[in-house]
Amino acid sequence: MREIASSILILAVTMNFLALGSSNLKACIRAAALQGFFVSVFPLFFSPEPTARLVGLVIVAGVVKAFVIPGMLIRALREVHIQHEMEPYLGLVPSVLLLAVGTGAAALFAGRLPLMSSHRDLLVVPVALATLFAGFLLLTTRRKAISQVTGYLILENGIFVFAQLLHEAMPTLVEVGVLLDLLVGIFVMGIVMNHIQREFGSLDTDRLSELRD
């Protein structure tokens, strides 16, 4: 089971590179959706004895992360008629190289942390940190609001992976609350994107500097 859990985490971290290495917005959203699916099923193979509560959390998280939120983003993408991220603040190749450096640094940093012996040989901490870094890069280096929302989604995937280390101590209510916050955040951002597109004819967030009181 632990080998399967590690394989799932490797697939999840691979989605970071796909999301950052593609200028196609739909491909970026699909990478985030696939990552959401992988991190959602991960607890089933990470937990030594999956409970009914855990299975319920996996189902809710999987539906929200892999279907509901990506579906909302794809729908928003169709309405604004935008296909690609043009002229990001940082190019695609430098972004991927920076992510590779950040992923390596996350692995080195995680190796120095005083983790429990049962967690030390797994990739939970390095994958969580690398995914947080990937989400941060998407949030800060892309101009399109929809790319930044996808970065927010990937950032939350990293938090979700990290939270599995505290699963026994974290009540389900708190975990579901985080998912609900994410869903509401994406919904609000969808409304904001529609207003930006209608006002400026573009989702470029640099255009927001033209707003006046």
Side-chain angles (χ1 to χ4, degrees), residues 82-95:
I82 293 176
Q83 297 297 325
H84 294 89
E85 171 74 45
M86 304 299 291
E87 299 180 352
Y89 296 116
L90 186 65
L92 299 181
V93 174
S95 297

Side-chain angles (χ1 to χ4, degrees), residues 142-179:
R142 300 300 169 90
R143 293 178 184 272
K144 303 297 183 189
I146 203 160
S147 295
Q148 295 169 357
V149 174
T150 306
Y152 180 50
L153 182 58
I154 290 177
L155 194 74
E156 199 280 332
N157 285 340
I159 295 172
F160 185 88
V161 172
F162 197 82
Q164 298 314 307
L165 294 176
L166 308 171
H167 176 74
E168 296 298 328
M170 180 177 286
T172 304
L173 185 62
V174 175
E175 298 171 13
V176 173
V178 172
L179 281 175

Side-chain angles (χ1 to χ4, degrees), residues 72-89:
M72 293 169 65
L73 293 176
I74 293 290
R75 182 180 176 184
L77 202 59
R78 280 199 299 265
E79 291 179 356
V80 297
H81 307 292
I82 293 176
Q83 297 297 325
H84 294 89
E85 171 74 45
M86 304 299 291
E87 299 180 352
Y89 296 116

